[in-house]
Amino acid sequence: MLEAGLELTPGEIRVLSHVIRYQGSRQAVLAERMGVEPMTLSAYLDRLEVRGLIKRTTDPSDRRAKVIHNTEKAEKVLADARPISLDVYERATHGLSEAERGEVERLLQRIRMNMANDPLAAEEPRATASKRALAI
């Protein structure tokens, strides 16, 4: 994504997409959902906060915990990244029938749920291709 002019790494884009998807989550919960160590997530969040893409606020129910919110600037960045993600998706699935694309998407969703440590992933409605492309 750096070469695309977004000035964010793929890891930062992934974190940002999770922040938007799980708006207002505690930092520790977000790390668990993503399947990363809390310190790893903290480093990404530090960089995103410096760029003005996220805000950390104190959780009103626990002063020690931080909740994460995206900014309007973050939504613009992901909107700018969407065409890139869609292009990658189209190249990856070129030549597949609609049924084959559906099967690939179903299998990737299962893999994502296996890897994400996210109990809510199983409850999410089936996402559109553009949402999936940004979430993977």
Side-chain angles (χ1 to χ4, degrees):
M1 295 290 180
L2 285 171
E3 63 277 1
L6 295 177
E7 299 180 10
L8 293 173
T9 66
E12 290 166 341
I13 292 281
R14 179 174 180 249
V15 169
L16 194 55
S17 68
H18 276 77
V19 168
I20 289 172
R21 175 179 292 147
Y22 302 110
Q23 187 72 235
S25 290
R26 285 185 178 186
Q27 190 168 318
V29 171
L30 195 59
E32 184 177 334
R33 284 182 172 161
M34 292 182 66
V36 299
E37 293 295 321
M39 291 304 295
T40 300
L41 178 63
S42 184
Y44 280 118
L45 292 173
D46 288 344
R47 292 192 299 268
L48 294 172
E49 191 170 36
V50 166
R51 291 186 174 105
L53 299 172
I54 61 120
K55 294 182 286 186
R56 293 177 185 159
T57 58
T58 303
D59 186 331
S61 64
D62 182 352
R63 296 179 327 146
R64 298 167 296 169
K66 298 289 184 191
V67 292
I68 313 302
H69 298 276
N70 66 284
T71 64
E72 285 183 29
K73 184 177 177 183
E75 291 176 17
K76 177 163 180 358
V77 166
L78 282 186
D80 291 346
R82 185 162 282 116
I84 298 163
S85 298
L86 288 173
D87 180 58
V88 169
Y89 176 81
E90 287 302 318
R91 284 190 289 148
T93 60
H94 179 75
L96 298 180
S97 70
E98 285 302 313
E100 290 169 326
R101 282 184 182 209
E103 182 66 8
V104 167
E105 291 167 9
R106 186 185 68 73
L107 293 170
L108 287 173
Q109 184 68 12
R110 184 186 297 170
I111 291 168
R112 179 175 165 229
M113 289 183 337
N114 289 344
M115 301 302 291
N117 297 325
D118 184 358
L120 295 178
E123 298 171 14
E124 290 180 7
R126 188 169 178 186
T128 61
S130 63
K131 288 181 182 177
R132 279 191 302 277
L134 287 173
I136 293 178

